[in-house]
Amino acid sequence: MNSFKIALKNIKKSRSDYSVYFFTLIIGIAIFYMFNSIGTQGLMEDVSRSGNDKIKMLIDLMSGVSVGVAVILGMLIIYANRFLIKRRKKEFGIYMLLGMGKKKVSRILICETCTVGFVSLIIGMAVGIFGSQLLSIVVAGMFEVDVTHYTFDISARAAVVTILCFVTIFLIVLFFNTKMVAGYKLIDLMNAEKEREKRVIGNELMSVILFILSAAVLIAVCIKVGFFGATIGKYGFIACCLTMVAAVFVMFYSFAGFFQKMLEKRHNFYKKGLNSYIVRQFSGNMNTASISMVIISLLLFISLCLFSSGFSIRTYLNHRLGNATPVDVTILIDSDDAEGFLEEKGVALNDWAGESLQIPVYECDSITIGDTVAPVMDKAREVFLHADWSSPENIIKLSDYNRLERMYGRDELIIGDDQYAIVSDFDLLNTLLNPSMEQGNVLTPGEYQLSPAYREVISEFIVMSGMSADMGAVIVPDEVVDATDSGLECTSTLVIADYKAETEEAKVAADARLTEALGEISERTLNGELEDGETGVGLATKTKIKESSVGISVITVFLVLYIGIVFVVACAAIIALKVMSDSLDSVQKFAILSRIGAGESMRKKALFVQVLMNFLIPLMVAAFTAFFGLRYIKGLLSAIGMINMTSGILFTFIIMIIIYGGYFLTTYEGCKKLILG
């Protein structure tokens, strides 16, 4: 019988061994093709031509991320293949005992690897090609590109990249397989089933001590990052991350001895049913898996943080977009002559604006940003470590602000002659302004003393933006602004307008004209790159805000899905392959349990718990660290006004159930069929 026929027969005989491996290959190939096909299909080219630079950024990011994804998938395939080879040591030993040389065994293994690789590549590419059609329609819909002219399209570039990538990975696998077989000795292969896991730490007391110490260090580091992360510098944060990794490694390194020791002391539990068998079997399986479990936990931690924060950002941006653009354009000009400035730039207000407002914005030396939070200044310095609290606060007179409210379609504001209000939609700053106003913080423009008209901030924006980060302004009575002794000076003008254009095409043209005239100086203003004496400009248009928000949302979702799914699949596949390998070695043990009186239900329960714990332990460690990691991320995202992460966590829960839970159930069913028949 030639090598190829033997290989086919072996694959058919070992299909249970190859099931998870084969399934993982198909998912990996399909995902790799789908995300690499973005930008090279018909619909995506239409998106690129629409002028939104975010899709070009998405394509570039996907190309870069794909390099890392390819490395991870390659390591996963090599790691998975290692388990399959380990499982078949005795089979190779029998071949050699029957007179087959190592070269012949290597040829059989090469045929098997090539066959599985070829079939999985064909199926994976087919799944990826059909999946990419749906993906391109979804992206085109997000960017509001017409999909009525959709045609089925295959990305030749993505197909070539995917094939080359996975062919390279399988060539590396073949190299490792050949090298492994060449290094085997017949006696070792024949005694493979008798190999026992060696305890990493022989002293159980030492295992307990190391586990408790590492767990304490991990908890301390997580609390520091999660609750006091804002006070940690860059190098302190890096030190905390490295400490966390080291603590997780020591925990898993000492887990087997600790787990067994602790449960052995609980005699009522340990001696009940098959608990003693489950504990010892699980400890043995976990004993030498410390490094892989650390890697799995860290990858799951990254995935949980990515999914939760990524989908939360998307939900926030979509919600924000619906309320953030009540007019076509807002322009904040650092001048009291806005019309003259616009005319100088070649975009005179009368040429393009229909309904419009010009709102003067004032400043006063006696009202700074620090004055607005004076009662809680100590806390303010902790929250904003590098803020300049001496910067003058923006001030707008009441009548002007109410004109703005009417144009934005909002309710007008009412304050007394000796009162003020603060308008801001910067949620993190508002957490400081609200208690300050509740304590009756008094502001003093010139000789006037103004007390809060409301006990909290008016959570509204003044200048349009895709983020909730408008620090707003103090609203004061007209009499205070008009008085000569108030010390107020007009420093800038806010122009609010709708375009004259009635058609969407004309609005896009007007928007492009404004962007061409003011976009470059607006960007330099934002980056603090203005030259001395140059007038600053803040330009925000409905079109650009929408494009930017949708673009960021799409980029975030795709990167999160691409990286997160690959990480979760890699983790679940590694666990599944190891559990199935260990379970195949346990067939005789379960047969012995049956002979000594353990019923089928007891054996099923023992197997279920054993498989569950292999999946659950690294997930629990990842979820624990992710809880504190997300608190830290939430603190960072609060700078753009995003506080609520509930939606992202819900999406994460659903994805983890589908992928991670699916692998768990598939693994359990496979193990049950192998062991219990």
Side-chain angles (χ1 to χ4, degrees), residues 561-582:
L561 285 175
Y562 194 18
I563 299 173
I565 289 177
V566 168
F567 280 8
V568 174
V569 167
C571 294
I574 289 171
I575 296 173
L577 288 163
K578 186 182 186 308
V579 169
M580 292 190 73
S581 177
D582 292 337

Side-chain angles (χ1 to χ4, degrees), residues 274-337:
L274 296 178
N275 288 350
S276 60
Y277 169 79
I278 296 171
V279 170
R280 297 185 69 85
Q281 187 71 12
F282 179 70
S283 297
N285 293 341
M286 288 285 290
N287 196 33
T288 55
S290 55
I291 294 178
S292 61
M293 284 298 173
V294 171
I295 294 172
I296 289 168
S297 295
L298 293 177
L299 290 179
L300 287 175
F301 162 76
I302 294 172
S303 299
L304 291 173
C305 290
L306 278 175
F307 283 137
S308 299
S309 57
F311 283 111
S312 295
I313 291 172
R314 176 189 177 277
T315 303
Y316 162 76
L317 289 173
N318 289 348
H319 173 74
R320 170 76 181 173
L321 184 60
N323 305 307
T325 53
V327 294
D328 287 332
V329 60
T330 60
I331 312 172
L332 183 61
I333 304 170
D334 292 342
S335 169
D336 58 358
D337 183 16

Side-chain angles (χ1 to χ4, degrees), residues 89-157:
K89 278 185 177 182
K90 187 173 181 180
E91 178 186 335
F92 297 150
I94 293 173
Y95 287 153
M96 292 182 187
L97 192 63
L98 294 173
M100 190 179 292
K102 289 184 179 180
K103 289 185 178 180
K104 178 75 170 178
V105 175
S106 295
R107 283 200 297 271
I108 294 172
L109 201 53
I110 289 171
C111 290
E112 290 183 25
T113 305
C114 290
T115 302
V116 172
F118 178 76
V119 174
S120 60
L121 189 60
I122 295 298
I123 297 176
M125 285 293 295
V127 174
I129 287 170
F130 283 98
S132 66
Q133 310 307 310
L134 177 61
L135 195 64
S136 62
I137 292 173
V138 170
V139 177
M142 287 180 173
F143 285 102
E144 296 188 354
V145 172
D146 185 14
V147 297
T148 56
H149 302 295
Y150 161 77
T151 57
F152 189 89
D153 198 4
I154 297 176
S155 170
R157 176 186 169 277

Side-chain angles (χ1 to χ4, degrees), residues 19-35:
S19 58
V20 173
Y21 180 60
F22 185 63
F23 181 65
T24 302
L25 287 176
I26 292 173
I27 292 178
I29 293 166
I31 291 174
F32 195 83
Y33 173 86
M34 286 169 61
F35 285 94

